[in-house]
Amino acid sequence: MDVLRAADASGRPVIQPRCGVGGHQQMVDLLRDLERVDSAILSVTIDSYTRLGRFGSAERLLHDRPADLNGYPLVAHGWQRGRDLVSAVETPLEVRHGSPDARRLFAVSVASGILSFEGGGLGYNLPYSKNVPLSTSLDAWRRVDASCGLLSREGVIVDRELFGTLTAVLVPPSISLAVTMLEARAAAGEGVTCLSIAYPQGGQVHQDVAALRAIRPLARRYVSAEVEVYPVLHEFMGAFPRTTTAADALILHGGLVARLGGATKIVSKTSQEARRIPDVVANAHGVRTAALGASSLFDFVEVDEARVAEEQYWIEREVAELVEPVLDDGDLTGAIERAFRAGRLDVPFSASLHARSDVVPCRDRYGAIRYGTLGALPFSGAALRRNAASLAESPEPRDGRSQSPIERVSADINYFVNLDGTRPRPLPAVPSPPFARKSR
């Protein structure tokens, strides 16, 4: 909390790297190494078995081959080792994971003394799980949030961070923020008093700055004014450039966008993102590069404020058109379920059977993410006309050839892959229709 409040007051976002390994001593060493590069908050990224509630599998692998775990199995290690992590560094820790049901992990985290916990009933279900009903994940997270409310009344504040990134594939800002606003409303209703609301960098500077600036007014509209709210930027989560130079440029750009958008925190990336699980050297370099982008060195950079204001107006309007029919229903969990079932809420490219994924986003000629296919989203005529106008001037294919729908979507997903001008790799043959509906 103190770190977030200080960053907010300074106008300079703090940097948080992702990190998590299986072995306890290795995790301690990793945290100490990253603390030396001035990370203001450190992550304890949890392994996949623990995320899915397979605690026995996590414990067996921890015993036999800890290096094979893709994160720190906090439940298997137990709260006493969790306290070792907290005491090993002076920097505060946050647990990041991806669990549709995080109750046990939350209990061990709090017992360890870790008071920042990421996730939510939508953002940690729809991108990660194939068939977990929304009622199950929303109820599990309601209980986590209720525990935070109880702790808050006892004077222990837990920073509840909402993921926002979703599938990390061309997620339109209004979908990301609509999901986090619904999660924020649910959390605040259970007594949560501190929310970090994350937004994933899409890559177009005016749209990203507008989305970050929209977080606070949207939170004031849909969440109690008594709740502290901090905007967070996830640096670009999609396909990353393969060369170090281009990847560093994208990371630097993220730092700059975060400061211009008024973010309190940046969750950083690394130059190894496209090739492997980043090592500690690359992670430290990513922290420094993001911090440089957010530094006073680039104070001379200004954005077109009129363009940002226009984007922000339409983002907030689209969020309202997605969120308010759900809130008007009265039964929040049931209304969310019904909206996803009908496609009035949707997440593109979701693996879950409980999101229709009828929405197919695309980029306009400036790189902003728009709605190529809207599915059943309940946008007004004005919002539909504005989206259509944004796409009226489609970007020209780089090689002059017309593109199939799958080539167009692939090019938009790989927007930054060839940032340094390297030759694009040919697309693999795709025998099946690109947008076949999932069975339910």
Side-chain angles (χ1 to χ4, degrees), residues 81-139:
R81 283 190 171 180
R83 290 196 177 188
D84 285 346
L85 297 183
V86 172
S87 62
V89 291
E90 295 183 1
T91 305
L93 306 181
E94 178 180 54
V95 167
R96 316 184 71 89
H97 47 113
S99 303
D101 182 350
R103 288 173 291 174
R104 189 165 169 184
L105 177 61
F106 175 78
V108 177
S109 300
V110 171
S112 301
I114 301 174
L115 299 178
S116 184
F117 198 75
E118 188 188 39
L122 300 174
Y124 267 10
N125 179 348
L126 298 174
Y128 294 108
S129 301
K130 182 176 181 180
N131 193 15
V132 176
L134 292 177
S135 59
T136 300
S137 58
L138 288 167
D139 184 62

Side-chain angles (χ1 to χ4, degrees), residues 2 5 36-37 89 96 175 198 251 276 299 366 370 396 400 404 409 416 436:
D2 291 343
R5 287 171 178 164
R36 295 190 190 101
V37 294
V89 291
R96 316 184 71 89
I175 285 184
I251 294 167
R276 51 170 290 182
D299 278 354
Y366 303 104
R370 309 296 183 194
E396 295 294 330
S404 69
V409 172
F416 290 111

Side-chain angles (χ1 to χ4, degrees), residues 210-246:
L212 284 167
R213 291 183 184 177
I215 289 174
R216 293 180 198 270
L218 286 169
R220 284 196 295 272
R221 191 180 306 169
Y222 300 119
V223 181
S224 167
E226 296 178 355
V227 177
E228 291 185 57
V229 171
Y230 299 102
V232 175
L233 178 75
H234 282 272
E235 290 204 312
F236 190 68
M237 294 283 282
F240 233 70
R242 294 185 65 81
T243 66
T244 299
T245 303

Side-chain angles (χ1 to χ4, degrees), residues 154-167:
E154 296 297 325
V156 179
I157 307 299
V158 177
D159 171 37
R160 281 281 294 106
E161 184 167 328
L162 306 177
F163 183 48
T165 295
L166 299 173
T167 51

